């Protein structure tokens, strides 16, 4: 069998991945150092600036509190927060988030734009990249504002808030995958795959696997990336097969079917145990946050004056970063095993080892996958087994 990569391709892949490996090694320390800086030095001045900014906005736009249309909004926000002062809290949260984003911006832009262009992995124009980056930051800012009002507001008004908030959040997590088909449309145009042999064969393959779906969509990611991608999105009546336009350009019909068969393996997984475990973990995390907020209030950490003081928000970020860091190796191990089982499912479904092997090889070449990454990178939380291992696990054709 021909080697997966030529020596020249392998050198290019190593040059592409080396910065990512360095970042993976350094980033946890940099993240914790930045959060320690915020907690030790910046929380108090940021809170003073947020309070002053909120007071200035109140003086300038206070009339909106009594205006016919906007007064309902302000009244609702005051009730959610439990008292006045939610504006300063939201501004403080957005300031801390903006500070972190500005610190990381040079690195994020270099990795997401410069490095990708250097190695021929991106089709982004500067304007399109800036637009999507801004869109992501705006969505993130909205999520942070909702977190502040929802979590801190509820915690200030209800003693067992972690239970009151945790249960609906857990239930939302159980059903949120039904919305997956709509998330991709925030960034890329999608259209149905035209009728033809590929759609016909894909429909027959899914009927064989007993997987109902609503449509086959083509996601036009080539405006931003040259990577191959296929996935299932949604659940039940919203489930759709999504192929990006790059995969249709790079792979043959048999190879596309092999990729879809692999993704079908994930549809057949027993997802409920994992979803239930994740939901319980969210409730447990909220309980841990409650304990931490109470300790911070009792000891007046960072100048806090009461329970659920917004000045503890960077401390929550520190706790969440620690949980994610410690949980990544475990989550990665489970994810890699699911990928191996999806490979086995695809082979049982298609009975075409050769097409599956070709699909993996082409995907590895187009996506510049490292066939043998450092073991610590794998154990740190890689979601897929190295492509070299996946190819070695294939039965002889």
């Amino acid at each position: 069998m021909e080697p997966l990569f030529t020596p020249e391709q392998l050198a290019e892949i190593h040059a592409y991945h080396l910065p990512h490996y360095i970042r993976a090694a350094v980033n946890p320390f940099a993240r914790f150092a930045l959060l320690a800086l915020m907690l030790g030095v910046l929380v108090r001045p940021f809170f003073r600036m947020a309070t002053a900014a909120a007071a200035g906005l109140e003086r300038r736009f206070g009339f909106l509190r009594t205006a016919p249309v906007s007064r309902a909004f302000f009244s609702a926000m005051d009730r959610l927060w439990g008292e006045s002062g939610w504006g300063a809290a939201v501004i403080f949260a957005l300031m801390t988030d903006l500070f972190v984003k500005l610190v990381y911006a040079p690195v994020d832009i270099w990795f997401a734009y410069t490095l990708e262009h250097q190695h021929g992995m991106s089709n982004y124009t500067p304007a399109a990249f800036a637009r999507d980056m801004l869109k992501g930051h705006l969505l993130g800012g909205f999520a942070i504002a909702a977190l502040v009002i929802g979590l801190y507001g509820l915690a200030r008004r209800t003693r067992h808030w972690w239970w009151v908030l945790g249960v609906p959040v857990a239930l939302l997590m159980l059903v949120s995958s039904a919305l997956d088909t709509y998330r991709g449309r925030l960034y890329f145009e999608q259209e149905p795959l035209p009728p033809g042999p590929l759609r016909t064969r894909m429909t027959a393959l899914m009927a064989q696997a007993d997987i109902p779906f609503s449509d086959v969509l083509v996601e036009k990611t080539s405006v931003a990336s040259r990577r191959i991608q296929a996935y299932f999105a949604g659940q039940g009546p919203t489930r759709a097969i999504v192929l990006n336009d790059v995969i249709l350009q790079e792979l043959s019909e048999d190879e596309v079917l092999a990729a879809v068969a692999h993704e079908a393996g994930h549809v057949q997984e027993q997802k409920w145990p994992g979803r239930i475990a994740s939901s319980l973990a969210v409730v447990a995390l909220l309980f841990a946050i409650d304990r931490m907020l109470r300790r911070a209030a009792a000891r007046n950490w960072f100048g806090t004056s009461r329970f659920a003081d917004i000045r503890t928000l960077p401390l929550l970020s520190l706790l969440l970063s620690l949980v994610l860091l410690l949980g990544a190796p475990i989550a990665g191990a489970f994810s890699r095993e699911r990928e191996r089982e999806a490979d086995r499912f695809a082979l049982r479904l298609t009975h075409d080892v050769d097409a599956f092997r070709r699909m993996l090889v082409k995907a590895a070449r187009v996506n510049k996958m490292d066939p043998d990454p450092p073991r610590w990178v794998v154990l740190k939380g890689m979601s897929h087994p190295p492509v070299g291992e996946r190819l070695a696990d294939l039965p002889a054709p």
Side-chain angles (χ1 to χ4, degrees):
M1 182 171 52
E2 65 173 319
L4 181 55
F5 297 109
T6 66
E8 293 78 13
Q9 289 172 327
L10 202 54
E12 168 76 7
I13 285 171
H14 288 161
Y16 172 68
H17 282 278
L18 180 60
H20 289 281
Y21 297 153
I22 295 173
R23 186 185 195 184
V26 171
N27 190 61
F29 301 100
R31 177 74 178 176
F32 288 127
L34 181 60
L35 290 172
L37 172 67
M38 292 183 64
L39 289 168
V41 179
L42 299 176
V43 163
R44 288 176 175 85
F46 275 14
F47 184 73
R48 286 195 297 268
M49 287 188 286
T51 302
L57 290 172
E58 179 73 23
R59 287 191 299 270
R60 188 176 183 86
F61 300 104
F63 67 91
L64 292 176
R65 285 188 169 275
T66 56
V69 176
S70 56
R71 65 184 178 187
F73 168 78
F74 283 95
S75 177
M77 294 296 287
D78 288 342
R79 285 197 299 271
L80 286 171
W81 190 247
E83 59 187 21
S84 61
W86 57 268
V90 171
I91 293 173
F92 174 82
L94 295 177
M95 285 177 61
T96 56
D97 179 61
L98 179 61
F99 173 75
V100 172
K101 283 183 168 60
L102 289 175
V103 170
Y104 272 90
V107 174
D108 289 340
I109 292 172
W110 189 83
F111 273 92
Y113 185 84
T114 306
L115 184 66
E116 293 291 296
H117 276 274
Q118 285 177 352
H119 293 274
M121 298 300 293
S122 177
N123 291 325
Y124 260 130
T125 63
F129 176 79
R131 182 192 64 237
D132 281 356
M133 193 173 189
L134 177 62
K135 187 186 299 182
H137 289 338
L138 290 176
L139 290 172
F142 177 81
I144 288 170
L147 169 70
V148 167
I149 298 300
L151 190 153
Y152 279 88
L154 190 60
R156 294 158 69 93
R157 296 167 57 234
T158 308
R159 179 167 181 79
H160 298 293
W161 66 272
W162 55 272
W163 184 254
V164 176
L165 180 62
V167 171
V169 168
L171 293 174
L172 182 62
M173 289 176 61
L174 294 176
V175 300
S176 62
S177 58
L179 303 176
D180 286 347
T181 47
Y182 307 104
R183 292 172 184 161
R185 298 175 191 178
L186 292 173
Y187 291 93
F188 302 111
E189 180 184 349
Q190 294 180 349
E191 62 182 23
L193 179 71
L198 179 59
R199 178 183 272 273
T200 300
R201 294 179 65 187
M202 203 176 300
T203 301
L205 190 68
M206 293 303 100
Q208 180 183 338
D210 194 26
I211 297 177
F213 64 97
S214 61
D215 205 351
V216 184
L217 302 175
V218 179
E219 192 169 72
K220 297 184 179 180
T221 64
S222 61
V223 298
S225 173
R226 298 178 184 176
R227 285 180 172 80
I228 285 173
Q229 188 178 27
Y231 61 96
F232 277 76
Q235 292 290 328
T238 69
R239 180 183 293 135
I241 303 170
V242 183
L243 310 171
N244 74 343
D245 50 353
V246 182
I247 199 173
L248 298 177
Q249 298 164 9
E250 297 288 344
L251 302 190
S252 68
E253 280 189 13
D254 288 343
E255 293 156 3
V256 171
L257 288 173
V260 171
H262 168 88
E263 298 303 323
H266 293 305
V267 175
Q268 298 287 49
E269 291 171 356
Q270 292 294 324
K271 294 184 174 66
W272 285 107
R275 289 175 180 171
I276 292 172
S278 298
S279 301
L280 293 175
V282 167
V283 176
L285 177 61
L286 291 175
F287 177 75
I289 290 173
D290 177 78
R291 299 297 96 183
M292 187 177 65
L293 291 177
R294 295 189 184 281
R295 181 173 291 271
R299 300 192 176 186
N300 301 117
W301 290 349
F302 324 116
T304 55
S305 58
R306 58 163 296 168
F307 174 68
D309 192 301
I310 193 60
R311 282 169 280 193
T312 58
L313 183 60
L315 188 62
L316 266 62
S317 297
L318 182 64
L319 174 64
L320 182 59
S321 297
L322 183 61
V323 169
L324 293 176
L325 180 65
L326 297 178
I330 300 172
F334 279 107
S335 177
R336 291 192 297 276
E337 184 53 39
R338 289 196 298 270
E339 295 298 332
R340 294 186 184 97
E341 180 54 39
D343 285 353
R344 293 189 283 267
F345 177 90
L347 295 176
R348 292 194 299 269
L349 182 61
T350 64
H351 304 289
D352 194 342
V353 177
D354 186 57
F356 195 86
R357 178 179 285 106
R358 294 197 314 271
M359 180 273 293
L360 284 179
V361 169
K362 287 186 179 180
R365 290 173 178 171
V366 173
N367 292 359
K368 285 187 168 59
M369 300 177 187
D370 189 344
D372 188 24
R375 195 61 190 165
W376 70 266
V377 173
V378 177
L379 297 177
K380 184 175 180 289
M382 274 185 63
S383 61
H384 289 61
V387 67
E389 292 183 11
R390 295 175 70 183
L391 287 167
D393 288 342
L394 295 180

